[in-house]
Amino acid sequence: MGIQTYSKGLLIVLSGPSGAGKGTVCSALRQQAPELVYSVSATTRQPREGEVEGINYFFKSKEEFRRMIDEGELLEWAQYVDNYYGTPRRFVEDRLEEGKNVLLEIEVQGARQVKERFPEGVFIFLLPPSMKELRARIQGRGTETEDAVQNRMMAASDELEQVHQYDYVVVNDEVAKACHQIRSIMVAERCRRERLFKENPDWLEGF
Amino acid sequence: MGIQTYSKGLLIVLSGPSGAGKGTVCSALRQQAPELVYSVSATTRQPREGEVEGINYFFKSKEEFRRMIDEGELLEWAQYVDNYYGTPRRFVEDRLEEGKNVLLEIEVQGARQVKERFPEGVFIFLLPPSMKELRARIQGRGTETEDAVQNRMMAASDELEQVHQYDYVVVNDEVAKACHQIRSIMVAERCRRERLFKENPDWLEGF
């Protein structure tokens, strides 16, 4: 009999300050790594054009969302700019049990909650290459007033302090490079001795 | 100013029981990752056909080797089947300072010494897919008596116990897969938050 390598899926949490480019990196990963499962969030915000229920988000009313919180159906949730966002727990847990890696792309406050509940997750902090670039990206959206830009920059500064809660730091100066680093992290984590023996302390007995 | 990512090289220590296929995996890595520096060992054993001084090994007399031990010129050394093997320290340290990753392919006893001197190294334990396959590989060399095969199998069993000293475990059931995992580990380790901030505690200040 040969040896069994790590069999459960990894929960990969990709977070970082607003403006780091989490969405862009995730879209690129979707192309490159179709075997990766992308968690679908629940939200109370209005769908934007082209967003599809169950693909981009599960769209919920505020009452429904509060019920999900109360009944422990969310792995994490946060209120952000007057709306709720959260991660349905069951979907993630089922995929991990099937041995699939699941990617959560979430805000910094949500990532903190996931870390409490899933310390065995792999926490990746995505950074823009510089604060100057971050400002350019936030302004580039063209949808924000100067005050709003200022607020987002201050929020980003606070979020940066959270870096010490994370296992890895990926600098998003090139999307392709960031994706390559994230995919490498997933491969490496499945080879971590600590993780292998935590899952199965008698790992070497079948050898 | 943008942020500086990890600037020093990584010392990658590839070890594991005799028969795991360390040499084969290293040869394949040489093809795939020419940017990686391969440490050249010193040894007192006789050159085999085709082996070149300074490329495969630095061939030394026993007196010369003992002088190198006494003067602390070796990062690790071991006696193995009546010969000495060791890693000249200076060569490795200079390459790491230049920012290059250096790969050491060494026996388990040598890896222990490196871990004491370089706890920040990345320690990878290479495993054959099974004990059965290990025996087949040792027998397949065709150069050993049944007693010698038996001795090597027992030595391998002892060496397996050392797995708990390592950061990563790579199962060498396919050389290409093993190489991919090792290369992924190198990319991932340069993104480790702990490593980044250990090298430069003010890492985020230049941000």
Side-chain angles (χ1 to χ4, degrees), chain B residues 24-81:
Chain B
T24 312
V25 167
C26 270
S27 301
L29 277 173
R30 263 176 211 265
Q31 305 281 321
Q32 288 179 26
E35 73 286 2
L36 191 59
V37 174
Y38 298 84
S39 162
V40 177
S41 298
T43 184
T44 59
R45 80 149 164 76
Q46 293 301 305
R48 293 181 191 151
E49 204 177 315
E51 285 184 340
V52 180
E53 163 76 14
I55 301 283
N56 304 95
Y57 285 98
F58 296 111
F59 295 100
K60 304 284 178 193
S61 69
K62 287 193 179 170
E63 294 92 63
E64 232 177 318
F65 201 98
R66 289 192 196 105
R67 185 198 59 76
M68 290 175 81
I69 295 171
D70 292 344
E71 299 191 8
E73 291 177 18
L74 297 169
L75 191 52
E76 56 81 33
W77 64 273
Q79 198 169 0
Y80 199 75
V81 195

CSV table of all heavy atoms in Angstrom, one decimal, chain B residues 24-81:
chain,number,residue,atom,x,y,z
B,24,THR,N,17.6,11.8,-8.2
B,24,THR,CA,16.8,11.9,-9.4
B,24,THR,C,16.0,13.2,-9.4
B,24,THR,O,15.9,13.9,-10.4
B,24,THR,CB,15.8,10.7,-9.5
B,24,THR,OG1,16.6,9.5,-9.2
B,24,THR,CG2,15.2,10.6,-10.8
B,25,VAL,N,15.4,13.5,-8.3
B,25,VAL,CA,14.6,14.7,-8.2
B,25,VAL,C,15.5,15.9,-8.4
B,25,VAL,O,15.1,16.9,-9.1
B,25,VAL,CB,13.9,14.7,-6.8
B,25,VAL,CG1,13.3,16.1,-6.5
B,25,VAL,CG2,12.8,13.7,-6.8
B,26,CYS,N,16.7,15.9,-7.8
B,26,CYS,CA,17.6,17.0,-7.9
B,26,CYS,C,18.0,17.2,-9.4
B,26,CYS,O,18.1,18.4,-9.9
B,26,CYS,CB,18.9,16.8,-7.1
B,26,CYS,SG,18.6,17.5,-5.5
B,27,SER,N,18.3,16.2,-10.1
B,27,SER,CA,18.7,16.3,-11.5
B,27,SER,C,17.6,16.9,-12.3
B,27,SER,O,17.8,17.8,-13.2
B,27,SER,CB,19.0,14.9,-12.1
B,27,SER,OG,20.0,14.3,-11.4
B,28,ALA,N,16.3,16.5,-12.0
B,28,ALA,CA,15.2,17.0,-12.7
B,28,ALA,C,15.0,18.5,-12.4
B,28,ALA,O,14.7,19.3,-13.3
B,28,ALA,CB,13.9,16.3,-12.4
B,29,LEU,N,15.3,18.9,-11.1
B,29,LEU,CA,15.1,20.3,-10.8
B,29,LEU,C,16.2,21.1,-11.5
B,29,LEU,O,15.9,22.3,-11.8
B,29,LEU,CB,15.3,20.5,-9.2
B,29,LEU,CG,14.1,20.2,-8.4
B,29,LEU,CD1,14.5,20.2,-6.9
B,29,LEU,CD2,13.0,21.3,-8.7
B,30,ARG,N,17.4,20.6,-11.6
B,30,ARG,CA,18.4,21.3,-12.3
B,30,ARG,C,18.0,21.8,-13.7
B,30,ARG,O,18.3,22.8,-14.2
B,30,ARG,CB,19.7,20.4,-12.5
B,30,ARG,CG,20.7,20.6,-11.4
B,30,ARG,CD,21.8,19.6,-11.7
B,30,ARG,NE,22.5,19.2,-10.4
B,30,ARG,CZ,23.6,19.8,-10.0
B,30,ARG,NH1,24.2,20.8,-10.6
B,30,ARG,NH2,24.1,19.4,-8.8
B,31,GLN,N,17.3,20.9,-14.4
B,31,GLN,CA,16.7,21.2,-15.7
B,31,GLN,C,15.7,22.3,-15.7
B,31,GLN,O,15.7,23.2,-16.5
B,31,GLN,CB,16.0,19.9,-16.3
B,31,GLN,CG,16.9,18.7,-16.4
B,31,GLN,CD,17.8,18.7,-17.5
B,31,GLN,OE1,17.5,19.1,-18.6
B,31,GLN,NE2,19.0,18.2,-17.3
B,32,GLN,N,14.8,22.2,-14.7
B,32,GLN,CA,13.7,23.0,-14.7
B,32,GLN,C,13.9,24.4,-14.0
B,32,GLN,O,13.2,25.3,-14.3
B,32,GLN,CB,12.6,22.4,-13.8
B,32,GLN,CG,11.9,21.2,-14.5
B,32,GLN,CD,10.9,20.6,-13.5
B,32,GLN,OE1,10.3,21.3,-12.7
B,32,GLN,NE2,10.6,19.3,-13.7
B,33,ALA,N,14.9,24.4,-13.1
B,33,ALA,CA,15.0,25.6,-12.3
B,33,ALA,C,16.5,26.1,-12.3
B,33,ALA,O,17.2,25.9,-11.3
B,33,ALA,CB,14.6,25.4,-10.9
B,34,PRO,N,17.0,26.5,-13.4
B,34,PRO,CA,18.4,26.9,-13.5
B,34,PRO,C,18.8,28.0,-12.6
B,34,PRO,O,20.0,28.2,-12.3
B,34,PRO,CB,18.6,27.2,-15.0
B,34,PRO,CG,17.2,27.5,-15.5
B,34,PRO,CD,16.3,26.8,-14.7
B,35,GLU,N,17.8,28.8,-12.1
B,35,GLU,CA,18.1,29.9,-11.3
B,35,GLU,C,18.5,29.4,-9.8
B,35,GLU,O,19.0,30.2,-9.0
B,35,GLU,CB,17.0,30.9,-11.2
B,35,GLU,CG,15.7,30.5,-10.4
B,35,GLU,CD,14.9,29.4,-11.1
B,35,GLU,OE1,15.2,28.9,-12.2
B,35,GLU,OE2,13.8,29.0,-10.5
B,36,LEU,N,18.2,28.2,-9.6
B,36,LEU,CA,18.5,27.6,-8.3
B,36,LEU,C,19.9,27.2,-8.2
B,36,LEU,O,20.5,26.7,-9.1
B,36,LEU,CB,17.6,26.4,-8.1
B,36,LEU,CG,17.4,25.7,-6.8
B,36,LEU,CD1,16.9,26.7,-5.7
B,36,LEU,CD2,16.5,24.5,-6.9
B,37,VAL,N,20.6,27.5,-7.0
B,37,VAL,CA,22.0,27.2,-6.9
B,37,VAL,C,22.1,25.8,-6.2
B,37,VAL,O,21.4,25.6,-5.2
B,37,VAL,CB,22.7,28.2,-6.1
B,37,VAL,CG1,24.1,27.8,-5.8
B,37,VAL,CG2,22.7,29.6,-6.8
B,38,TYR,N,22.9,24.9,-6.7
B,38,TYR,CA,23.0,23.6,-6.1
B,38,TYR,C,24.3,23.6,-5.3
B,38,TYR,O,25.4,23.9,-5.9
B,38,TYR,CB,23.0,22.5,-7.1
B,38,TYR,CG,21.7,22.5,-7.8
B,38,TYR,CD1,21.4,23.4,-8.9
B,38,TYR,CD2,20.6,21.7,-7.4
B,38,TYR,CE1,20.2,23.5,-9.5
B,38,TYR,CE2,19.4,21.8,-7.9
B,38,TYR,CZ,19.2,22.7,-9.0
B,38,TYR,OH,17.9,22.8,-9.6
B,39,SER,N,24.2,23.4,-4.0
B,39,SER,CA,25.4,23.3,-3.2
B,39,SER,C,26.2,22.1,-3.6
B,39,SER,O,25.7,21.1,-4.0
B,39,SER,CB,25.0,23.2,-1.7
B,39,SER,OG,26.1,22.7,-1.0
B,40,VAL,N,27.5,22.3,-3.7
B,40,VAL,CA,28.5,21.3,-4.0
B,40,VAL,C,29.1,20.7,-2.7
B,40,VAL,O,29.6,21.5,-2.0
B,40,VAL,CB,29.6,21.8,-5.0
B,40,VAL,CG1,30.6,20.7,-5.3
B,40,VAL,CG2,28.9,22.3,-6.3
B,41,SER,N,29.0,19.4,-2.5
B,41,SER,CA,29.5,18.8,-1.3
B,41,SER,C,30.9,18.5,-1.4
B,41,SER,O,31.4,18.3,-2.5
B,41,SER,CB,28.7,17.5,-1.0
B,41,SER,OG,27.4,17.8,-0.8
B,42,ALA,N,31.6,18.4,-0.3
B,42,ALA,CA,32.9,17.9,-0.2
B,42,ALA,C,32.8,16.4,0.2
B,42,ALA,O,31.9,16.1,1.0
B,42,ALA,CB,33.7,18.6,0.8
B,43,THR,N,33.6,15.5,-0.3
B,43,THR,CA,33.6,14.1,0.1
B,43,THR,C,35.0,13.5,0.0
B,43,THR,O,35.8,14.0,-0.7
B,43,THR,CB,32.6,13.3,-0.8
B,43,THR,OG1,32.6,12.0,-0.3
B,43,THR,CG2,33.1,13.3,-2.3
B,44,THR,N,35.1,12.4,0.8
B,44,THR,CA,36.4,11.7,0.8
B,44,THR,C,36.2,10.4,-0.1
B,44,THR,O,37.2,9.7,-0.3
B,44,THR,CB,36.8,11.2,2.2
B,44,THR,OG1,35.8,10.4,2.7
B,44,THR,CG2,37.1,12.4,3.1
B,45,ARG,N,35.0,10.2,-0.6
B,45,ARG,CA,34.9,9.0,-1.4
B,45,ARG,C,35.5,9.2,-2.8
B,45,ARG,O,35.7,10.3,-3.3
B,45,ARG,CB,33.4,8.5,-1.5
B,45,ARG,CG,32.5,9.2,-2.5
B,45,ARG,CD,31.5,8.2,-3.0
B,45,ARG,NE,30.3,8.9,-3.7
B,45,ARG,CZ,30.4,9.4,-4.9
B,45,ARG,NH1,31.5,9.5,-5.6
B,45,ARG,NH2,29.3,10.0,-5.4
B,46,GLN,N,35.8,8.0,-3.5
B,46,GLN,CA,36.4,8.1,-4.8
B,46,GLN,C,35.4,8.6,-5.8
B,46,GLN,O,34.2,8.3,-5.7
B,46,GLN,CB,36.8,6.7,-5.2
B,46,GLN,CG,38.0,6.2,-4.4
B,46,GLN,CD,39.2,7.1,-4.4
B,46,GLN,OE1,39.7,7.4,-5.5
B,46,GLN,NE2,39.7,7.5,-3.3
B,47,PRO,N,35.8,9.4,-6.8
B,47,PRO,CA,34.9,9.8,-7.8
B,47,PRO,C,34.4,8.6,-8.6
B,47,PRO,O,35.1,7.7,-8.9
B,47,PRO,CB,35.8,10.7,-8.8
B,47,PRO,CG,37.0,11.0,-8.0
B,47,PRO,CD,37.2,9.9,-6.9
B,48,ARG,N,33.1,8.7,-8.9
B,48,ARG,CA,32.5,7.6,-9.8
B,48,ARG,C,32.7,8.1,-11.3
B,48,ARG,O,33.0,9.3,-11.5
B,48,ARG,CB,31.0,7.4,-9.6
B,48,ARG,CG,30.8,6.8,-8.2
B,48,ARG,CD,29.3,6.6,-8.0
B,48,ARG,NE,29.0,6.2,-6.6
B,48,ARG,CZ,27.9,6.5,-6.0
B,48,ARG,NH1,26.9,7.1,-6.6
B,48,ARG,NH2,27.7,6.1,-4.7
B,49,GLU,N,32.6,7.2,-12.2
B,49,GLU,CA,32.8,7.6,-13.6
B,49,GLU,C,31.9,8.8,-14.0
B,49,GLU,O,30.7,8.8,-13.7
B,49,GLU,CB,32.5,6.4,-14.5
B,49,GLU,CG,33.2,6.5,-15.8
B,49,GLU,CD,33.0,5.3,-16.7
B,49,GLU,OE1,33.0,4.2,-16.2
B,49,GLU,OE2,32.7,5.5,-17.9
B,50,GLY,N,32.6,9.8,-14.6
B,50,GLY,CA,31.8,10.9,-15.1
B,50,GLY,C,31.7,12.0,-14.1
B,50,GLY,O,31.3,13.1,-14.5
B,51,GLU,N,32.0,11.8,-12.9
B,51,GLU,CA,31.9,12.9,-11.9
B,51,GLU,C,33.0,13.9,-12.0
B,51,GLU,O,34.2,13.5,-12.1
B,51,GLU,CB,31.9,12.2,-10.5
B,51,GLU,CG,30.5,11.6,-10.1
B,51,GLU,CD,30.4,11.0,-8.7
B,51,GLU,OE1,31.4,10.8,-8.1
B,51,GLU,OE2,29.3,10.8,-8.3
B,52,VAL,N,32.7,15.1,-11.9
B,52,VAL,CA,33.7,16.2,-12.1
B,52,VAL,C,33.9,17.0,-10.8
B,52,VAL,O,33.0,17.4,-10.1
B,52,VAL,CB,33.2,17.1,-13.2
B,52,VAL,CG1,34.2,18.2,-13.5
B,52,VAL,CG2,32.9,16.4,-14.5
B,53,GLU,N,35.2,17.2,-10.5
B,53,GLU,CA,35.6,18.0,-9.3
B,53,GLU,C,35.0,19.4,-9.4
B,53,GLU,O,35.1,20.0,-10.4
B,53,GLU,CB,37.1,18.1,-9.3
B,53,GLU,CG,37.7,19.1,-8.4
B,53,GLU,CD,37.7,18.8,-6.9
B,53,GLU,OE1,37.5,17.6,-6.6
B,53,GLU,OE2,37.9,19.7,-6.1
B,54,GLY,N,34.3,19.8,-8.3
B,54,GLY,CA,33.8,21.2,-8.3
B,54,GLY,C,32.4,21.3,-8.9
B,54,GLY,O,31.7,22.3,-8.7
B,55,ILE,N,32.0,20.2,-9.6
B,55,ILE,CA,30.6,20.2,-10.2
B,55,ILE,C,29.8,19.2,-9.4
B,55,ILE,O,28.8,19.6,-8.7
B,55,ILE,CB,30.6,19.8,-11.7
B,55,ILE,CG1,31.5,20.7,-12.5
B,55,ILE,CG2,29.2,19.7,-12.2
B,55,ILE,CD1,30.9,22.1,-12.8
B,56,ASN,N,30.2,18.0,-9.3
B,56,ASN,CA,29.5,16.9,-8.6
B,56,ASN,C,29.9,17.0,-7.1
B,56,ASN,O,29.1,16.9,-6.2
B,56,ASN,CB,29.8,15.6,-9.1
B,56,ASN,CG,29.4,15.5,-10.6
B,56,ASN,OD1,30.2,15.7,-11.5
B,56,ASN,ND2,28.1,15.3,-10.9
B,57,TYR,N,31.2,17.1,-6.9
B,57,TYR,CA,31.7,17.1,-5.5
B,57,TYR,C,33.1,17.9,-5.5
B,57,TYR,O,33.7,18.0,-6.6
B,57,TYR,CB,32.0,15.7,-5.0
B,57,TYR,CG,30.8,14.9,-4.6
B,57,TYR,CD1,30.3,14.0,-5.5
B,57,TYR,CD2,30.3,15.0,-3.3
B,57,TYR,CE1,29.2,13.2,-5.1
B,57,TYR,CE2,29.2,14.3,-3.0
B,57,TYR,CZ,28.6,13.4,-3.9
B,57,TYR,OH,27.5,12.7,-3.5
B,58,PHE,N,33.5,18.3,-4.3
B,58,PHE,CA,34.9,18.6,-4.1
B,58,PHE,C,35.5,17.4,-3.5
B,58,PHE,O,35.1,17.0,-2.4
B,58,PHE,CB,35.0,19.8,-3.1
B,58,PHE,CG,34.4,21.1,-3.7
B,58,PHE,CD1,33.3,21.6,-3.1
B,58,PHE,CD2,35.0,21.8,-4.7
B,58,PHE,CE1,32.7,22.8,-3.6
B,58,PHE,CE2,34.5,22.9,-5.2
B,58,PHE,CZ,33.3,23.5,-4.6
B,59,PHE,N,36.4,16.7,-4.2
B,59,PHE,CA,37.0,15.5,-3.7
B,59,PHE,C,38.1,15.8,-2.8
B,59,PHE,O,39.0,16.6,-3.1
B,59,PHE,CB,37.4,14.6,-4.8
B,59,PHE,CG,36.2,14.1,-5.6
B,59,PHE,CD1,35.8,14.7,-6.8
B,59,PHE,CD2,35.4,13.1,-5.1
B,59,PHE,CE1,34.7,14.3,-7.5
B,59,PHE,CE2,34.2,12.6,-5.8
B,59,PHE,CZ,33.9,13.3,-7.0
B,60,LYS,N,38.1,15.3,-1.5
B,60,LYS,CA,39.1,15.6,-0.5
B,60,LYS,C,39.7,14.4,0.1
B,60,LYS,O,39.1,13.3,0.2
B,60,LYS,CB,38.4,16.4,0.7
B,60,LYS,CG,37.7,17.6,0.3
B,60,LYS,CD,38.6,18.8,0.0
B,60,LYS,CE,37.9,20.0,-0.5
B,60,LYS,NZ,38.8,21.0,-1.1
B,61,SER,N,40.9,14.5,0.5
B,61,SER,CA,41.5,13.4,1.3
B,61,SER,C,41.0,13.4,2.7
B,61,SER,O,40.4,14.4,3.1
B,61,SER,CB,43.1,13.6,1.4
B,61,SER,OG,43.3,14.7,2.2
B,62,LYS,N,41.1,12.3,3.5
B,62,LYS,CA,40.6,12.3,4.8
B,62,LYS,C,41.2,13.4,5.7
B,62,LYS,O,40.6,14.0,6.5
B,62,LYS,CB,40.7,10.9,5.4
B,62,LYS,CG,39.6,10.0,4.8
B,62,LYS,CD,39.4,8.7,5.4
B,62,LYS,CE,38.3,7.9,4.6
B,62,LYS,NZ,38.2,6.5,5.0
B,63,GLU,N,42.5,13.6,5.5
B,63,GLU,CA,43.2,14.6,6.4
B,63,GLU,C,42.7,16.0,6.1
B,63,GLU,O,42.4,16.8,7.0
B,63,GLU,CB,44.7,14.7,6.2
B,63,GLU,CG,45.5,13.4,6.6
B,63,GLU,CD,45.6,12.5,5.4
B,63,GLU,OE1,46.3,12.9,4.4
B,63,GLU,OE2,45.1,11.4,5.5
B,64,GLU,N,42.5,16.3,4.8
B,64,GLU,CA,42.0,17.6,4.4
B,64,GLU,C,40.6,17.8,5.0
B,64,GLU,O,40.3,18.9,5.5
B,64,GLU,CB,41.9,17.6,2.9
B,64,GLU,CG,42.6,18.8,2.3
B,64,GLU,CD,42.6,18.7,0.8
B,64,GLU,OE1,42.8,17.6,0.2
B,64,GLU,OE2,42.3,19.8,0.2
B,65,PHE,N,39.8,16.7,4.9
B,65,PHE,CA,38.4,16.8,5.4
B,65,PHE,C,38.4,17.1,6.8
B,65,PHE,O,37.6,18.0,7.3
B,65,PHE,CB,37.6,15.6,5.0
B,65,PHE,CG,36.2,15.7,5.0
B,65,PHE,CD1,35.5,15.9,3.8
B,65,PHE,CD2,35.4,15.8,6.2
B,65,PHE,CE1,34.1,16.1,3.8
B,65,PHE,CE2,34.1,16.0,6.2
B,65,PHE,CZ,33.4,16.2,5.0
B,66,ARG,N,39.2,16.4,7.6
B,66,ARG,CA,39.3,16.6,9.1
B,66,ARG,C,39.7,18.0,9.4
B,66,ARG,O,39.2,18.6,10.4
B,66,ARG,CB,40.2,15.6,9.7
B,66,ARG,CG,39.6,14.2,9.7
B,66,ARG,CD,40.3,13.2,10.6
B,66,ARG,NE,39.9,11.8,10.2
B,66,ARG,CZ,40.6,10.9,9.5
B,66,ARG,NH1,41.9,11.3,9.2
B,66,ARG,NH2,40.2,9.7,9.2
B,67,ARG,N,40.6,18.6,8.7
B,67,ARG,CA,41.0,20.0,8.9
B,67,ARG,C,39.8,20.9,8.7
B,67,ARG,O,39.6,21.8,9.5
B,67,ARG,CB,42.2,20.3,7.9
B,67,ARG,CG,42.7,21.7,8.2
B,67,ARG,CD,43.5,22.3,7.0
B,67,ARG,NE,42.8,22.4,5.8
B,67,ARG,CZ,41.9,23.3,5.5
B,67,ARG,NH1,41.6,24.3,6.4
B,67,ARG,NH2,41.2,23.3,4.3
B,68,MET,N,39.1,20.7,7.6
B,68,MET,CA,37.9,21.5,7.4
B,68,MET,C,36.9,21.4,8.5
B,68,MET,O,36.3,22.4,8.9
B,68,MET,CB,37.2,21.1,6.0
B,68,MET,CG,38.0,21.4,4.8
B,68,MET,SD,37.3,20.8,3.3
B,68,MET,CE,36.0,22.0,2.9
B,69,ILE,N,36.7,20.2,9.1
B,69,ILE,CA,35.8,20.1,10.2
B,69,ILE,C,36.3,20.9,11.4
B,69,ILE,O,35.6,21.7,12.0
B,69,ILE,CB,35.7,18.6,10.7
B,69,ILE,CG1,35.1,17.7,9.6
B,69,ILE,CG2,35.0,18.5,12.0
B,69,ILE,CD1,35.2,16.2,9.9
B,70,ASP,N,37.6,20.8,11.7
B,70,ASP,CA,38.2,21.5,12.8
B,70,ASP,C,38.2,23.0,12.7
B,70,ASP,O,38.0,23.7,13.7
B,70,ASP,CB,39.7,21.1,13.0
B,70,ASP,CG,39.8,19.6,13.4
B,70,ASP,OD1,38.8,19.0,13.9
B,70,ASP,OD2,41.0,19.0,13.3
B,71,GLU,N,38.3,23.5,11.5
B,71,GLU,CA,38.3,24.9,11.3
B,71,GLU,C,36.9,25.5,11.0
B,71,GLU,O,36.7,26.6,10.6
B,71,GLU,CB,39.3,25.3,10.2
B,71,GLU,CG,40.7,24.8,10.6
B,71,GLU,CD,41.8,25.3,9.8
B,71,GLU,OE1,41.6,26.2,8.9
B,71,GLU,OE2,43.0,24.9,10.0
B,72,GLY,N,35.9,24.7,11.2
B,72,GLY,CA,34.5,25.2,11.1
B,72,GLY,C,34.1,25.6,9.7
B,72,GLY,O,33.2,26.4,9.4
B,73,GLU,N,34.7,24.9,8.7
B,73,GLU,CA,34.5,25.3,7.3
B,73,GLU,C,33.3,24.6,6.7
B,73,GLU,O,32.9,24.7,5.6
B,73,GLU,CB,35.7,25.1,6.4
B,73,GLU,CG,36.8,26.0,6.7
B,73,GLU,CD,38.1,25.7,5.9
B,73,GLU,OE1,38.0,25.1,4.9
B,73,GLU,OE2,39.2,26.2,6.3
B,74,LEU,N,32.7,23.7,7.5
B,74,LEU,CA,31.6,22.9,7.0
B,74,LEU,C,30.3,23.2,7.7
B,74,LEU,O,30.2,23.3,8.9
B,74,LEU,CB,31.9,21.4,7.2
B,74,LEU,CG,33.1,20.9,6.3
B,74,LEU,CD1,33.5,19.5,6.8
B,74,LEU,CD2,32.8,21.0,4.8
B,75,LEU,N,29.2,23.4,6.9
B,75,LEU,CA,27.9,23.6,7.5
B,75,LEU,C,27.3,22.4,8.1
B,75,LEU,O,26.6,22.5,9.1
B,75,LEU,CB,27.0,24.0,6.3
B,75,LEU,CG,25.7,24.6,6.5
B,75,LEU,CD1,25.7,25.8,7.5
B,75,LEU,CD2,25.1,25.1,5.2
B,76,GLU,N,27.7,21.3,7.6
B,76,GLU,CA,27.3,20.0,8.2
B,76,GLU,C,28.3,19.0,7.6
B,76,GLU,O,28.9,19.2,6.6
B,76,GLU,CB,25.9,19.6,7.8
B,76,GLU,CG,25.5,19.5,6.3
B,76,GLU,CD,26.0,18.3,5.6
B,76,GLU,OE1,26.0,17.2,6.2
B,76,GLU,OE2,26.3,18.4,4.4
B,77,TRP,N,28.4,17.9,8.3
B,77,TRP,CA,29.2,16.8,7.8
B,77,TRP,C,28.7,15.5,8.4
B,77,TRP,O,28.1,15.5,9.4
B,77,TRP,CB,30.7,17.0,8.0
B,77,TRP,CG,31.1,17.0,9.4
B,77,TRP,CD1,31.1,18.1,10.2
B,77,TRP,CD2,31.6,15.9,10.2
B,77,TRP,NE1,31.6,17.7,11.5
B,77,TRP,CE2,31.8,16.3,11.5
B,77,TRP,CE3,31.8,14.5,9.9
B,77,TRP,CZ2,32.3,15.5,12.5
B,77,TRP,CZ3,32.2,13.7,10.9
B,77,TRP,CH2,32.5,14.2,12.2
B,78,ALA,N,29.0,14.4,7.7
B,78,ALA,CA,28.6,13.1,8.2
B,78,ALA,C,29.5,12.0,7.7
B,78,ALA,O,30.2,12.2,6.6
B,78,ALA,CB,27.2,12.8,7.7
B,79,GLN,N,29.6,11.0,8.5
B,79,GLN,CA,30.4,9.8,8.0
B,79,GLN,C,29.3,8.8,7.5
B,79,GLN,O,28.3,8.6,8.3
B,79,GLN,CB,31.2,9.2,9.1
B,79,GLN,CG,32.3,8.4,8.6
B,79,GLN,CD,33.3,8.0,9.7
B,79,GLN,OE1,33.2,8.4,10.8
B,79,GLN,NE2,34.3,7.2,9.3
B,80,TYR,N,29.5,8.2,6.4
B,80,TYR,CA,28.5,7.4,5.8
B,80,TYR,C,29.2,6.3,5.0
B,80,TYR,O,29.9,6.6,4.0
B,80,TYR,CB,27.5,8.2,4.9
B,80,TYR,CG,26.2,7.5,4.7
B,80,TYR,CD1,25.2,7.5,5.7
B,80,TYR,CD2,25.9,6.9,3.4
B,80,TYR,CE1,24.0,6.8,5.5
B,80,TYR,CE2,24.7,6.3,3.2
B,80,TYR,CZ,23.8,6.2,4.2
B,80,TYR,OH,22.6,5.6,4.0
B,81,VAL,N,29.0,5.0,5.4
B,81,VAL,CA,29.6,3.9,4.7
B,81,VAL,C,31.1,4.2,4.5
B,81,VAL,O,31.7,4.2,3.4
B,81,VAL,CB,29.0,3.6,3.4
B,81,VAL,CG1,29.4,2.2,2.9
B,81,VAL,CG2,27.5,3.6,3.4
